[in-house]
Amino acid sequence: YTGAYSNVEELNTIEINPFVHEGSNFDVEVYWFSAVKERQLALELIRQTRLDLLILDGTITPSPALASTPWDKVEKILKVTEKLIETAKENKTTIIGVVKRARAQYLSTIANADIPDKLLATALLDYNEYIDLGPLDEVLYSYITTKRHRTGEFLSRLAKSSSFLHKIREIYYRPLSRHAIRVEIIEHGPTTEEVLAFLAKNATPNTGFPVMLDFVDLFVTKNKVSTQTLKEILQNSILTRYDDPTDVKIAYILCGLQNPQKEYLYRFKGY
């Protein structure tokens, strides 16, 4: 399920895309599939109407989680992302990527401190303050040359293949929450300071993330109900194909998932 929520009514939308994968690297494959679909939907929406801000749930760039993915698949994400950025520039739309799982050590590398970025940023920042790490291409260069990390080769290739990394600012800001938030910003319309002020003002009290992301989750979850009948038809069709009780049980569990990225929670040991 890929969804979008906006104060522009006609942009509230949800898309359902089937995902089938057999073999290893399931988590990486479903991330790649989702990343492409999300950016394609975002591109469709900013082509429809003029938007000041476009907020993505996750990084603007392909995640290092794709380090083991064949490069031709990464290039598909880069291609649609570049088109998204070009269209945003034409429409004067600022793009924001809100990173919920901030695992990168960009800030700690710059500060020469071997602790998680989010912890370091939270310790350094007071409420309503932010740190701008600079353009992403420079941040990646500093990270790659300092750390001999397993994703270094992937990030190096990403930097050489992308024409837009210099446009992305890597930023940590601290709203009125317990921890700092990492965002990526490409400024085409509202300025970085205007964006951060808007995000801080609209932060959820518990997590500090922009409340708009919660709206998307609620919107998509609500609209999933309308697909329940279709899901049950598909589920019954799949279950009747198995004779072995274990196969039926596994198929039933997987049919019940609404987000394949959570599939790992339900895997049987040894399966």
Side-chain angles (χ1 to χ4, degrees), residues 1 223-235 258:
Y1 295 85
N223 281 271
K224 284 179 182 177
V225 176
S226 63
T227 66
Q228 189 64 33
T229 301
L230 177 62
K231 191 182 84 168
E232 289 177 358
I233 293 173
L234 177 62
Q235 178 176 298
Q258 303 220 14

Side-chain angles (χ1 to χ4, degrees), residues 35-198:
V36 171
K37 292 299 179 183
E38 288 167 357
R39 285 158 178 76
Q40 287 175 342
L41 177 59
L43 180 57
E44 291 176 13
L45 297 182
I46 64 172
R47 280 172 169 170
Q48 290 180 28
T49 189
R50 165 80 168 84
L51 295 176
D52 293 319
L53 301 176
L54 175 68
I55 303 176
L56 300 175
D57 187 351
T59 59
I60 298 173
T61 57
S63 167
L66 292 171
S68 60
T69 303
W71 188 254
D72 61 327
K73 294 186 176 181
V74 178
E75 286 182 322
K76 290 184 178 180
I77 300 179
L78 293 177
K79 185 176 181 180
V80 67
T81 302
E82 286 180 352
K83 193 62 181 176
L84 176 63
I85 294 171
E86 289 173 6
T87 307
K89 182 178 180 180
E90 294 171 2
N91 295 348
K92 297 182 179 180
T93 301
T94 291
I95 301 177
I96 306 134
V98 179
V99 187
K100 290 182 176 178
R101 299 177 184 88
R103 296 172 181 170
Q105 293 184 308
Y106 300 151
L107 176 60
S108 60
T109 298
I110 294 172
N112 194 25
D114 191 19
I115 59 175
D117 272 9
K118 181 167 276 192
L119 177 60
L120 178 59
T122 302
L124 291 175
L125 295 173
D126 201 349
Y127 295 127
N128 295 322
E129 290 184 341
Y130 73 91
I131 301 173
D132 185 347
L133 277 62
L136 182 55
D137 59 339
E138 296 180 10
V139 172
L140 287 182
Y141 178 78
S142 174
Y143 178 80
I144 293 169
T145 54
T146 305
K147 299 276 189 179
R148 298 296 180 183
H149 196 265
R150 62 182 178 82
T151 59
E153 183 178 347
F154 170 84
L155 295 174
S156 178
R157 192 169 185 179
L158 177 66
K160 293 176 181 177
S161 304
S162 306
S163 61
F164 54 82
L165 291 189
H166 67 285
K167 300 178 182 178
I168 301 176
R169 310 292 299 194
E170 284 289 323
I171 294 172
Y172 274 93
Y173 72 99
R174 181 88 184 274
L176 296 176
S177 66
R178 296 173 60 186
H179 55 79
I181 308 296
R182 175 186 160 201
V183 291
E184 297 183 343
I185 298 178
I186 300 182
E187 182 183 313
H188 289 138
T191 65
T192 295
E193 289 197 353
E194 290 172 331
V195 168
L196 294 176
F198 174 78

Side-chain angles (χ1 to χ4, degrees), residues 26-27 30 253-254 257 259-268 271:
F26 180 92
D27 299 332
V30 72
I253 291 174
L254 296 182
L257 296 175
N259 181 358
Q261 286 181 292
K262 304 300 182 185
E263 178 265 351
Y264 69 92
L265 295 173
Y266 300 89
R267 286 184 189 151
F268 290 171
Y271 175 70

